[in-house]
Amino acid sequence: RLALPVFGAGMLSAVAYAPDAVVDALRRGSQQGAIPYMAVGVVSIMLLLGFAYRSNVRARPDNLGDYGTVRDLLGRRYGVVTGAALLVDYLFTVAVSVAAVTQLVAYLIPQLRPWVGLIGVGLIGVMTLVGLRVVRDRARVLLAVWFGFLLVVAVMLVYGVARHAAEASSPIAANPPTTWTIVLAYAGAIASGAVMVTGIEHLASAAPNHAEPRARRAGRTLLIAVSASAAAFLTVSLLAWSYRITGWADGPILLQTAEQVFRQPVTIWVVAVAAAAILYAAATAVFRRFSILASSLARDAYLPRQLSMTNDRLVVRGGILTVAVASAVMVVATGANVETLIHMYVVGAFAAIVLSQVAMVRHCTERLQLATEPGDRRRLARDRVLHGTAAVVAAGVWIIVAVFNFLNGAWLAIVMIIGLVALMHAINRHYAAVRGDVTLERKDRNVALPSATHGVVLVAQLHRPAMRALAYAKAARHSSLEAVGVQIEADAARELQRQWGKIDSGVPLVILDSPYRDLVRPVLDYVASIHRSSPRDVVVVYVPEYIVGRWWERFLHNKATKRLRSQLLGLDSVVVSAVPWHLESARDRRAAEEVPPPGEQLP
Amino acid sequence: RLALPVFGAGMLSAVAYAPDAVVDALRRGSQQGAIPYMAVGVVSIMLLLGFAYRSNVRARPDNLGDYGTVRDLLGRRYGVVTGAALLVDYLFTVAVSVAAVTQLVAYLIPQLRPWVGLIGVGLIGVMTLVGLRVVRDRARVLLAVWFGFLLVVAVMLVYGVARHAAEASSPIAANPPTTWTIVLAYAGAIASGAVMVTGIEHLASAAPNHAEPRARRAGRTLLIAVSASAAAFLTVSLLAWSYRITGWADGPILLQTAEQVFRQPVTIWVVAVAAAAILYAAATAVFRRFSILASSLARDAYLPRQLSMTNDRLVVRGGILTVAVASAVMVVATGANVETLIHMYVVGAFAAIVLSQVAMVRHCTERLQLATEPGDRRRLARDRVLHGTAAVVAAGVWIIVAVFNFLNGAWLAIVMIIGLVALMHAINRHYAAVRGDVTLERKDRNVALPSATHGVVLVAQLHRPAMRALAYAKAARHSSLEAVGVQIEADAARELQRQWGKIDSGVPLVILDSPYRDLVRPVLDYVASIHRSSPRDVVVVYVPEYIVGRWWERFLHNKATKRLRSQLLGLDSVVVSAVPWHLESARDRRAAEEVPPPGEQLP
Ligand SMILES: [K+]
Ligand SMILES: [K+]
Ligand SMILES: [K+]
Ligand SMILES: [K+]
Ligand SMILES: [K+]
Ligand SMILES: [K+]
C-alpha cells in the first residue's frame, strides 16, 4: 500500500501542470470550449496505457522498468535507446516538477516572479542536500502528501459543483472543429495533456515492493494510481472549463481554478502547499530511480562501471549531483518555463513508452507461438491488441509533440537522447575492446613465470619510512635488491652515501645522476636499463608513501611520489609497491576510529 | 648588459605611476607647488637605497635577494617575515603594473573606463598564457622596451623645456610649509613616491647573470638602473609641475604631461605604448622571480616541498597561476585603483627593504669585529652607516605609508604578511614534526626483518591482468600466497571458482562474502585477520591496475581500485603492489612516444 505514494507521486503531481498544457495548446486556436473533449481524450490515453502497463508489470514483475523490458525483448540496441530516453525522462521529471513549484510561488507572491530561475535552483539544492543525507523515504509523510493532495482536489470538486449549481453561470461554449488547423490544435492539446502519463514507467517498476502475489498486487496499485490521477485531472480540467479559465499566462490552472472555486486566499495557499508537496515528492522519488537505471546501464557496460556499485556512497552522490546539476541547468536555461519543459519531458518519456509497448507486442507474439491452451491464447491475443494499440497511440503522441513543438524544446530532448546513445555506445565499445584484450585464452593458462624479480628501494633520504621499505623488500627475498637514490645536490648525495655506509644493511646503494634536477626520469631510465639487461625479469620498485590524517596535509606530501608512481606504471614488467608510513595525524585518526574486529562483542 | 632591462624594468616602469602617487598625496593640502622638493626627496631615497643595495650585492652576489640576506644574517624567524613581505611585494608588482596599464587605456579610450577591472583580468590572463608557454625572456625585445621608454622620456624632456622656454608660462607656485599638517602631507608625498624604489630587490638579485667580477658588475648595473629611473622620474615630475598638472583623477600624470608637452594625439599614443610595454615587462619579470622565491622558501620547509622543484613544469605552472589569480583578485577588488594598490605595494616592498638593511648592519658589525686592516675597517664602518641610514629612512617610509594609508589599503597588505607568516610557520612545524618522526635513530639501524611475507592477489575476475599479477606474486616467492575474490553476486563467484579450478595455478582461491555489496571492506577485514593471526608478518596485496592512454578513459576504470588502495594503505605492515595492465590506447601512445635508450645514437 505504501508503494502507491512512493511510486505514484510522479503521476498524480502532473495534475499541477498537465491542465495548463492542455489549456495552452487550445489557446492558439481560441478553442478553450473544447476542454472537456480534450480531458476525455487524455483520460482515455491514461487508461489505455494503464491497462497496457498492468500487463507489463504482470509479465515482468521486476524493478528494471522499460529499460529491462526493451533490452530483453527487442535487444540491447533498442535497450540503449530506451535507457537514454529514460535518463532524459527522469531529468525532466525533476526540471518540470521544480519549475511547476516556482510557478506556484510566483502566482502567490508576484514580486518573486523575476527570481523563478533562482528559486528553482535553490529548490533543487535543497532536494540534493536532503537526498545526500536521507537514505529512506519517509513513507508515512509521503502517504499524507499523496492523500492530502487527492483530498484537496476532492474538496475542490464538491465546492465547485455546489457553487456552480448555485450561481448558474455557463461554461465556455465549444466551437465545432470545422477546419484542419482546429483538428490539429485538438491533437496537440491531447498530446501535451498526455504528460499526465509520464509517471507510468516508475509505477510499473514497483513490483518488488509488493507482497506476493507481486505481479497482481503491483498491477492493481498501478491501476489505482492511474485512476486516481485521471479523476483528479478530470476534476481540475472540468472545473477550469466551468469557471471560464482561459489563459495559462495568468498563472497555474490549478490555482486559478481554486481561486474561482473557494474565493478565499487561505484556501489557495492550502491548495498550493498540497501541490508543491506532491511535486517535491515526485522530483525526489526520481533521484533514486535515476541511480537504479544508471546502475543497470553500468552493469551492461553502457555507463562507467563504478556506477553499478549502488551501495557505494560516493557513486550514489555522483548520480544525485548529476541529476541535480543537469536539471538545474534546464530550469535556468528555460527560465523555469513549464510549457517548454513539458515538451522535452513528453519526448523523453514517450520514446520509452513506445519502445516498451512494441517490446510487449513481441513478447505476446512469442508466447502465442508456444501457447496451446485456448484460454491462454485468447488472453495473449487480447493483450497483443492492447499493447499494439498502446504503441500506436503513444507513437502518435510522440510524433505530434516532437513535430508541433520541435523548435519549442522538443529538438533539445531529441538531441540529448541521440547524444546519450552515442556516448553509451562509445563506452560500451571501449569496455568490449578491453574485455577482448584481457580475456583469458587457453594459451594464457600456463603463463610463464618471470625468471627472476629485482627489488629496487627508492631512498630519497635515510629516514624511517625508507628503512621500513628496505626491511619489507629484504623480507621479500628478491633475486637481487638495490637501494636507489637520485642526486639532486652533490652534498646531499654524499651525506646519504656516508649514512648508508654506517647502517650496514647488506644492500648496495646506487646513486643516480640527475642533470636536470628531475626525480622521475633517472629512476625510469634505471628501471629500463635493468629490463634491457634481463628482459624476462620483473622489477619491483618499493616507494615509501606518507599517509596523512588531515585533508590539508595532502598538499604537503607525496607530489613527487605520485608522479613517479604513475610514470613507473607506464613501464612493462614492473610492480610498484607502496609502503605506507603513517603520519602522526593519521595514527591519531585511526586510533579514534578504531572499531572492534568483526565477531568481537562489546561488553 | 642584458640584465639591465630584465631586472630593471620593475624600477623604470614605476615612472608610469610614482608621479601620480606624489601629486595625489600633495593634492590633499593643495600643495602641488611643492612637487620639485618632493621629487628631490624621492630621488634622494632612491640614491641612498641604490648605494645601500650596491653594498648588498657586493656582499652577497647570489640570486636569493632579501630573503637570503635576512635569513642568513638575522635568522630564519626574520627570514620568514621577509619572505612573506616579498611574496606580497611581487603580487602587488603585478597588480599595480596591470592597473597602471588599464589607466593608460582608460585615458586614451574613455568609453572603456567602466571595464578597467575586466581589462586588467584579461591582461593578466594574457601574461599567464604567455608565461606558461615561453620559458626564456626575449632579451632583445626587453632591451628595446627599456631603451624605448627612456628615449620617450628624454624626448619629452627636450620638447618640454624648449616649449616651456618659448611660452614662458609659470609653474605652480609653492606655499611654504607653515603648519604641521602640511609637513605631514609632504612626508606622505615622499613616502608614496618611494614606490619608485620597489623594484630594487629584484635588481639586487641579478648578480648571477653577470660576468666576473660578478659583484662589481652587478653593483654597477644596479646603480645605472637606479640613476636612469631617477632621471626619468625627475623629468616627468618637473614637467608635470611646470605644466601645472594638478590632479591625478584626470588621468595618469605621464600621459597628461605628454599631452601638454606634445599637443599631438599620435605622440600621446606613442608614450602610452612605451609605458604599457615597460609595465608589461615589469609584471612578467616578477612571475619568474616569484617562483624562485617560492622555491627557496619551499627548500627551507616554509612552503609545500614540491614548490622547490623549479624544473618541474607542473610546479612552475602552479606558481604562475597562483600569482595570476591573486593579482587578478586584487585588481578586481580595488577596481584597478592604482592609488590603493600602491599603498599595499609599498607596505610589502619596504618591509623587506627595512629587514634587509638591518641585516646588512649586522653583517658589517660582524665583519668589523674580525677585520684588522685599517682600510677594511674604515670601509666597513662607512658601509655600516650607509645601511643604518637606509634602514632608518626605509622604516620611516614604511611607517608613514602604513599609518597614513592604513584604512586605504595598507591594512590589507599587513594582514596578508601576517597571514603568510602564520601559514609558513604552520607548514614548517608540520614538516619538523614529520622529520622528527621519520629521522633514523640508533635503535632503528638494525631494524628487525618481518618474519614472513604473505602474498594476497586480488582477483575480481579471471582475466589476463589478474593472471599477470598472480604470476608476479608467484615469482616473488612469498611465505604464503592466496588469491582473493569478493562475492558480490553468487553466480559470478561460482563461475570464478569453476574457472580457477581449471587453470590449476597451485594457489588457493579465497572467496570473501560481501553482505553489503561492498568491494573494499571485506578485503580490509581479511588483511586485518591475517595480521591478527601473525602480527609480525607483512601482507603484500597485489592489485592489478589498468593504465589508460586517453584522458577520458580515466572515468571508466580503476575507481574501486583507487579506493581499495588508499584504504589498504591505512593499515599497518602492509605493502600495496600495483601490477600495471596497459590498455591498447596506452600501448599505442607509448609506441608513439618511444625514444631510443640513452647512449644509443640515431643513425
Ligand atoms: K518491469
Ligand atoms: K509526471
Ligand atoms: K517519469
Ligand atoms: K643578494
Ligand atoms: K616597481
Ligand atoms: K618589486
Side-chain angles (χ1 to χ4, degrees), chain A residues 315-334:
Chain A
V315 169
V316 172
R317 280 184 186 185
I320 289 178
L321 287 175
T322 306
V323 185
V325 170
S327 56
V329 167
M330 285 300 144
V331 169
V332 170
T334 61

Side-chain angles (χ1 to χ4, degrees), chain B residues 234-286:
Chain B
L234 215 53
T235 300
V236 174
S237 303
L238 293 182
L239 285 176
W241 172 68
S242 308
Y243 283 91
R244 311 183 71 91
I245 286 156
T246 54
W248 172 22
D250 310 324
I253 300 291
L254 179 70
L255 292 196
Q256 286 192 64
T257 309
E259 195 157 38
Q260 292 297 317
V261 168
F262 295 120
R263 289 175 207 168
Q264 277 196 331
V266 177
T267 358
I268 293 148
W269 276 86
V270 171
V271 174
V273 167
I278 190 106
L279 286 166
Y280 185 94
T284 47
V286 148

Side-chain angles (χ1 to χ4, degrees), chain A residues 177-200:
Chain A
T178 44
T179 63
W180 274 107
T181 20
I182 294 177
V183 171
L184 283 179
Y186 284 9
I190 294 178
S192 292
V195 73
M196 276 306 302
V197 187
T198 47
I200 204 162

Side-chain angles (χ1 to χ4, degrees), chain A residues 378-538:
Chain A
R378 243 195 327 275
R379 199 175 46 72
L380 282 167
R382 201 191 57 212
D383 279 358
R384 186 162 67 165
V385 173
L386 174 67
H387 290 300
T389 315
V392 170
V393 169
V397 168
W398 193 90
I399 290 168
I400 290 170
V401 172
V403 171
F404 281 21
N405 302 294
F406 186 77
L407 289 179
N408 193 6
W411 69 271
L412 183 58
I414 294 172
V415 166
M416 285 170 78
I417 293 173
I418 293 171
L420 278 171
V421 168
L423 177 69
M424 293 199 279
H425 275 300
I427 290 173
N428 190 260
R429 266 197 308 278
H430 172 81
Y431 279 131
V434 171
R435 200 181 321 114
D437 189 32
V438 302
T439 300
L440 215 55
E441 285 159 33
R442 189 160 295 271
K443 68 178 167 56
D444 300 315
R445 286 225 180 129
N446 302 307
V447 95
L449 287 191
S451 46
T453 63
H454 294 281
V456 170
V457 183
L458 282 186
V459 180
Q461 300 155 45
L462 201 60
H463 49 29
R464 291 168 71 201
M467 287 303 280
R468 176 180 288 179
L470 185 68
Y472 289 2
K474 280 167 84 171
R477 294 196 188 77
H478 294 285
S479 325
S480 72
L481 180 60
E482 293 151 328
V484 163
V486 177
Q487 164 164 359
I488 297 286
E489 270 153 28
D491 290 352
R494 261 194 302 279
E495 172 64 16
L496 177 58
Q497 221 142 16
R498 198 185 58 77
Q499 290 184 333
W500 191 261
K502 273 200 197 157
I503 60 163
D504 185 28
S505 61
V507 175
L509 172 68
V510 180
I511 300 276
L512 303 175
D513 223 31
S514 175
Y516 300 108
R517 297 178 59 85
D518 177 10
L519 278 173
V520 175
R521 193 76 234 170
V523 178
L524 290 180
D525 290 342
Y526 185 70
V527 172
S529 78
I530 298 179
H531 278 138
R532 266 197 302 283
S533 57
S534 38
R536 292 198 47 222
D537 299 355
V538 175

Side-chain angles (χ1 to χ4, degrees), chain B residues 1-85:
Chain B
R1 189 160 39 85
L2 289 175
L4 194 58
V6 176
F7 295 92
M11 185 172 269
L12 185 59
S13 67
V15 173
Y17 49 80
D20 307 64
V22 173
V23 170
D24 189 66
L26 289 176
R27 219 178 152 209
R28 295 189 202 154
S30 290
Q31 295 291 327
Q32 287 102 329
I35 288 177
Y37 309 130
M38 305 301 108
V40 169
V42 170
V43 168
S44 311
I45 295 178
M46 289 178 76
L47 293 177
L48 172 65
L49 286 171
F51 281 103
Y53 266 94
R54 185 181 63 161
S55 162
N56 273 40
V57 172
R58 285 184 177 174
R60 306 173 52 84
D62 53 32
N63 74 344
L64 296 179
D66 286 349
Y67 172 63
T69 308
V70 175
R71 179 194 61 188
D72 296 349
L73 291 167
L74 298 184
R76 295 167 68 100
R77 187 181 201 80
Y78 293 103
V80 172
V81 178
T82 311

